Amino acid sequence: MKHKYQAFKVPKRFRVQSKTLWFDHFMNYFIVVGGAAVIAAVLGIFVFIFMQILPLFRGANLRPLAEYKVTEKTEDLHAFDMDEWAELPVVIHKDGTLRYVDISGDRGTIEYAAVFGENQTIAALSYNSLKRILVASNDSGQFAFANLGYRSEFDEQGNRTIHPVIEASDWYPLAADGESIQAIDYGDGDSNKMAAAICEDESGNKRIRVATLNQRRSLFGGGGEISIGLTFELSEAIQAEVKSIDVSPNGDLLLITANDGELILFVYEDGGLEQRQRFHPFSAGQDTTLAKAEFLLGDTSLSIVGSNGENVIHSLSLDSGLGKRVFSKTKEMKPLPGEVIHYYPGVRNKSFLLTTQHHASLRYSTTEDIRWKEDFDFEITEGIIGEKYDRIALLDTAGMLHVFLLDDPHPQAGFNAFFGKIHYEGQAQADYVWQSTGGTDDFEPKLSLIPLIIGTLKGTFYAMLFAIPIALLAALYTSQFLDPKLRDFVKPTMEIMASLPSVVLGFVAALWLAPLVDTRIPSLMLIVLVVPTATLIFAWFWSKLPKQFRLRIPSGLEFIILTPILLIVCYFCWNLGPVFERIFFIVTNPTTGERVADFRLWWPEFTGATYTQRNSLIVGFMIGFAVIPIIFTIAEDAMSNVPPAIRSGSLALGASRWQTAINIVLPTASPGIFSSVMIGFGRAVGETMIVVMATGNTPLKDFNIFSGMRTLSANIAVELPEAPYHGTLYRTLFLGALVLFVMTFVVNTVAEVLRDQLKDRYKTGE
């Protein structure tokens, strides 16, 4: 077989060496494989992020775990609870007897018949499941409470045994002479202890009596002697027939339900019990009556259900007229299929369990989400959520305990939580809020990504607003007007600027630029207004000078004269800023009442927006400073690569250098210029350290140039180190990364399409 060169009789001097052909062939495949590997890596990153966030959008999953016989009869059952490990549930009977059932060992039933002492007749009981406090009243009008705790012991083999720990108090007087207690409730917080009871005298008249308790504490926080503090009688203030009473678990709120469905709120503060609010929880048009109103974890929200299964959430928020917090309707959840029999709040989050006769529904109040629901063939008499939020137990009328394993690691997540408006506790209206952590265990996580998306767009907008004009005009001047010898110096210098570390720029912005600019905003305003004006005036004046004078300055070196003039203008504007401030920015100092010249006070008064030292202006300057070299370099290359013949033809036809640059060079180089802007946009969107260091890093939702922001990238950098592995916050931060990924992908895709259109347009001469 002849070699291909022999077949075509190629002279030897024109033949390519075999090594060169082999290397060229290898590189063709290598580039293809490398490109495919890059695409695969990007897809792999996307798949990894997607797998991290997928559990956030799953509902709760329950599967049967076990069934146990815990009681023979349920007609005298008052309450039911379970320990943290779901190993020693307790049945509380109406006579105050406690029956612990060892469902994990062989101890059988452990019964405590005299929790509150011997020879005590229990008249009324109430169990606070959030605090695990059982309160009882006797036939003498007294009350006592018991803390139902647990302790664990481990043997030599490491086997755990759970033991009940019961600490009962003394009896304290509550009802007046001749009165009996019909219903009682108790709340115990760190600083408040309150008991409330419905008392009835021999004539059938009912009174609402409330008592606070005082407890001495040692220097180390230990509990001491408890005594009755203040007492109140509320019947005159209520003026209604009372159906039930509920004291908040923390002992500072008293909720009274009237027979007509009205809720009456009393608040204990400053040594008094104030009637704060009276309201009907359901709208006038709703065909339902109040069935239950129970506190959620934190005592800030009420889960209220109606007789036909309607379920609404009311939360405390500040009433601007009263200047105090009152309950208002914040959420309306899907109704249940029938009348609610039992309510049980979660002790770790804002979840709660509602049951009807044959139906159970696990709900999360913050997101108005039904995490799980199911119908059963047995009749439910009690239901609870495990303390670790990993169990749900239902007790039927036959005394059988049905335990289910609960798999719901992210109840506070969901599309509505991340992208919808939510009416959070303590707020007057629904809003987008990011606040992932709080100072207490009953904190309501707020995980809206909208403020972070707005912050990302805000920071990018101000950075590009600063960078694009400077970078493109500098690239235009460097490529078309600057002396070639100086161009060889300017461009490498700009490229070196692109290598400056972001952390250094953020450090400079936070510790030098922000304090410097803080009191000089009017000076900057003057510079922005006067410098372009001075440049135009200089250009006009220069054009009017005699040609023989202008020719003394070589073409491309005109900046030698302009630069000192602009520096002098900047110097005077900087020093005239305080004068400008005293003329236009006079405001009344809210602290002293004096009229002062201070832009920092004028801006909030004039616009209603905030002013902070580390703001979007500083971020725009510094991110813009980081982006300018990128845009400049690519745009300058695009303009310099415009064919010289096109420029020469324009000049030969009589166009000036400026007309040629604007009308010929810019349109021809527009695809490259557009690419430079998009690459700079991607750099600004993903900037992290400058945003972290140069702003207040607060997730706001405005485009106020004098306030800070928090971006998606900065949020990931700040919160990821503290986020529990595979927790809700951890996965939510990955969701933020995915949103950032999608934002840049969409923008770059659109930019590429537009760039190709521009390229085709100017290639064909359309």
Side-chain angles (χ1 to χ4, degrees):
M1 181 178 179
K2 293 183 178 181
H3 193 274
K4 60 181 180 179
Y5 290 130
Q6 296 174 344
F8 293 100
K9 298 181 179 180
V10 178
K12 186 175 182 180
R13 66 180 182 275
F14 294 122
R15 297 178 187 178
V16 181
Q17 293 184 357
S18 299
K19 292 182 180 180
T20 304
L21 292 174
W22 179 88
F23 186 75
D24 181 70
H25 188 69
F26 169 78
M27 289 305 298
N28 286 335
Y29 281 101
F30 182 79
I31 292 172
V32 172
V33 173
V38 171
I39 296 174
V42 173
L43 290 177
I45 293 173
F46 179 82
V47 170
F48 172 75
I49 295 176
F50 184 77
M51 294 304 295
Q52 292 296 319
I53 69 171
L54 190 61
L56 293 174
F57 299 95
R58 293 173 180 166
N61 179 40
L62 263 75
R63 62 181 180 86
L65 188 61
E67 294 183 358
Y68 307 96
K69 186 74 172 181
V70 295
T71 183
E72 294 296 333
K73 52 183 180 178
T74 58
E75 59 270 13
D76 66 340
L77 178 69
H78 173 73
F80 175 78
D81 203 356
M82 198 158 53
D83 62 286
E84 179 181 358
W85 305 273
E87 297 177 4
L88 195 65
V90 57
V91 177
I92 304 172
H93 293 276
K94 294 178 182 179
D95 61 358
T97 300
L98 305 181
R99 297 181 71 250
Y100 291 88
V101 182
D102 186 6
I103 61 177
S104 63
D106 55 2
R107 289 179 294 171
T109 301
I110 307 170
E111 185 169 306
Y112 294 86
V115 174
F116 297 102
E118 301 290 343
N119 303 320
Q120 292 288 345
T121 301
I122 303 300
L125 277 178
S126 179
Y127 182 62
N128 185 332
S129 58
L130 289 171
K131 298 285 187 177
R132 283 210 176 106
I133 297 178
L134 178 66
V135 59
S137 64
N138 59 18
D139 53 1
S140 301
Q142 298 174 312
F143 76 95
F145 57 89
N147 294 287
L148 308 186
Y150 296 89
R151 62 180 176 86
S152 57
E153 289 184 355
F154 295 87
D155 59 20
E156 294 180 354
Q157 287 74 35
N159 299 317
R160 180 179 58 204
T161 303
I162 307 301
H163 299 278
V165 178
I166 304 172
E167 299 177 354
S169 71
D170 297 329
W171 289 92
Y172 303 99
L174 183 57
D177 293 338
E179 292 181 344
S180 61
I181 296 178
Q182 304 296 311
I184 191 167
D185 201 12
Y186 177 76
D188 190 344
D190 293 335
S191 57
N192 298 311
K193 299 178 187 295
M194 181 194 297
I198 301 176
C199 303
E200 185 177 1
D201 60 19
E202 296 175 354
S203 302
N205 298 318
K206 292 184 178 181
R207 300 282 188 273
I208 305 298
R209 300 197 180 275
V210 180
T212 63
L213 287 82
N214 300 325
Q215 183 176 20
R216 292 183 179 180
R217 294 187 176 273
S218 68
L219 294 175
F220 301 99
E225 181 182 351
I226 298 176
S227 60
I228 291 291
L230 301 174
T231 59
F232 306 91
E233 200 281 311
L234 306 179
S235 302
E236 294 297 328
I238 294 172
Q239 294 293 318
E241 294 185 8
V242 177
K243 178 181 179 181
S244 64
I245 55 173
D246 291 279
V247 179
S248 64
N250 288 326
D252 56 351
L253 303 176
L254 172 61
L255 190 69
I256 297 176
T257 305
N259 284 337
D260 63 355
E262 184 182 32
L263 293 176
I264 307 168
L265 175 67
F266 286 84
V267 179
Y268 177 71
E269 61 182 6
D270 300 329
L273 196 61
E274 172 196 359
Q275 181 176 312
R276 178 71 56 83
Q277 184 184 12
R278 300 176 77 117
F279 65 101
H280 288 274
F282 295 103
S283 304
Q286 288 182 280
D287 184 21
T288 186
T289 57
L290 178 63
K292 287 181 179 293
E294 302 284 351
F295 287 97
L296 291 171
L297 178 68
D299 300 356
T300 308
S301 293
L302 290 170
S303 177
I304 304 173
V305 292
S307 56
N308 61 353
E310 294 289 333
N311 183 203
V312 297
I313 305 295
H314 282 243
S315 300
L316 286 173
S317 61
L318 184 66
D319 185 287
S320 57
L322 291 175
K324 297 179 180 180
R325 296 197 308 166
V326 297
F327 280 106
S328 60
K329 182 178 175 181
T330 57
K331 303 174 183 73
E332 186 168 352
M333 309 191 77
K334 293 182 180 179
L336 280 84
E339 182 179 357
V340 174
I341 297 175
H342 184 76
Y343 162 89
Y344 194 91
V347 298
R348 288 208 170 187
N349 50 41
K350 301 295 181 177
S351 63
F352 59 98
L353 180 69
L354 295 177
T355 65
T356 64
Q357 194 171 21
H358 293 282
H359 178 86
S361 176
L362 178 64
R363 302 175 169 220
Y364 195 79
S365 66
T366 301
T367 57
E368 304 178 60
D369 190 18
I370 299 178
R371 305 299 300 171
W372 162 84
K373 61 180 180 179
E374 190 170 337
D375 294 315
F376 297 94
D377 56 3
F378 55 83
E379 186 175 340
I380 303 171
T381 184
E382 287 285 341
I384 62 172
I385 304 173
E387 187 174 339
K388 291 184 176 181
Y389 196 69
D390 60 351
R391 301 282 194 279
I392 283 183
L394 302 175
L395 185 65
D396 65 20
T397 53
M400 291 295 296
L401 178 65
H402 306 263
V403 181
F404 300 85
L405 185 64
L406 172 62
D407 180 21
D408 189 22
H410 311 292
Q412 60 270 53
F415 187 86
N416 190 42
F418 299 132
F419 303 105
K421 266 190 176 182
I422 293 182
H423 200 151
Y424 295 104
E425 294 177 345
Q427 295 188 348
Q429 58 187 2
D431 202 357
Y432 304 106
V433 181
W434 174 273
Q435 189 180 356
S436 59
T437 56
T440 60
D441 294 336
D442 54 28
F443 170 75
E444 185 179 39
K446 305 169 182 63
L447 301 176
S448 175
L449 295 179
I450 299 300
L452 306 179
I453 295 173
I454 293 176
T456 302
L457 296 176
K458 178 181 177 180
T460 304
F461 171 77
Y462 286 116
M464 299 302 286
L465 185 66
F466 174 71
I468 289 176
I470 296 176
L472 294 185
L473 290 175
L476 180 64
Y477 179 78
T478 302
S479 63
Q480 305 302 313
F481 300 98
L482 189 63
D483 184 89
K485 295 180 180 179
L486 288 176
R487 186 187 310 161
D488 294 339
F489 171 78
V490 170
K491 189 173 181 182
T493 303
M494 293 293 289
E495 291 172 348
I496 291 174
M497 286 175 56
S499 65
L500 289 174
S502 295
V503 67
V504 174
L505 297 178
F507 179 82
V508 172
L511 299 184
W512 175 74
L513 184 60
L516 178 68
V517 172
D518 186 36
T519 58
R520 291 288 187 166
I521 298 298
S523 299
L524 287 180
M525 296 171 66
L526 281 177
I527 291 174
V528 171
L529 292 173
V530 175
V531 168
T533 305
T535 304
L536 293 175
I537 293 174
F538 171 81
W540 176 84
F541 179 77
W542 181 260
S543 66
K544 299 300 181 181
L545 290 176
K547 183 180 294 186
Q548 60 271 21
F549 181 82
R550 285 185 284 135
L551 291 177
R552 294 180 181 180
I553 305 297
S555 177
L557 297 179
E558 295 87 354
F559 71 91
I560 295 176
I561 298 177
L562 177 61
T563 300
I565 295 175
L566 294 184
L567 290 176
I568 293 172
V569 169
C570 289
Y571 175 80
F572 279 104
C573 289
W574 185 262
N575 289 280
L576 286 174
V579 178
F580 184 64
E581 187 175 41
R582 286 193 293 271
I583 296 174
F584 294 100
F585 303 112
I586 305 296
V587 67
T588 301
N589 190 321
T591 304
T592 63
E594 298 178 354
R595 299 287 288 177
V596 295
D598 194 332
F599 181 86
R600 296 170 297 179
L601 298 176
W602 177 88
W603 178 259
E605 183 177 289
F606 181 75
T607 64
T610 58
Y611 178 93
T612 57
Q613 184 187 84
R614 298 184 183 184
N615 51 48
S616 303
L617 180 65
I618 304 301
V619 172
F621 280 155
M622 273 305 164
I623 297 183
F625 187 80
V627 169
I628 283 173
I630 298 173
I631 299 177
F632 170 85
T633 299
I634 300 174
E636 200 276 339
D637 285 339
M639 296 178 196
S640 296
N641 289 330
V642 173
I646 298 178
R647 289 196 298 249
S648 300
S650 175
L651 294 171
L653 291 173
S656 66
R657 287 192 302 164
W658 178 253
Q659 290 173 325
T660 301
I662 296 298
N663 299 318
I664 302 299
V665 175
L666 281 182
T668 306
S670 58
I673 295 172
F674 192 75
S675 296
S676 71
V677 172
M678 288 301 101
I679 294 174
F681 177 86
R683 170 73 169 83
V685 165
E687 179 53 49
T688 302
M689 291 310 300
I690 295 177
V691 179
V692 169
M693 301 178 70
T695 72
N697 211 22
T698 304
L700 303 175
K701 302 181 296 299
D702 58 51
F703 274 82
N704 174 21
I705 192 172
F706 295 113
S707 66
M709 85 284 284
R710 177 180 287 196
T711 64
L712 287 164
S713 57
N715 190 63
I716 295 170
V718 169
E719 302 216 12
L720 188 59
E722 303 297 330
Y725 182 63
H726 281 174
T728 302
L729 176 59
Y730 177 87
R731 296 188 185 278
T732 302
L733 295 175
F734 273 92
L735 177 61
L738 180 65
V739 171
L740 190 61
F741 183 92
V742 171
M743 286 174 59
T744 54
F745 179 80
V746 170
V747 169
N748 288 335
T749 301
V750 172
E752 185 63 21
V753 171
L754 294 177
R755 190 187 72 84
D756 288 341
Q757 290 180 351
L758 288 172
K759 186 176 180 180
D760 293 339
R761 176 181 177 183
Y762 289 106
K763 185 195 314 184
T764 59
E766 295 179 3

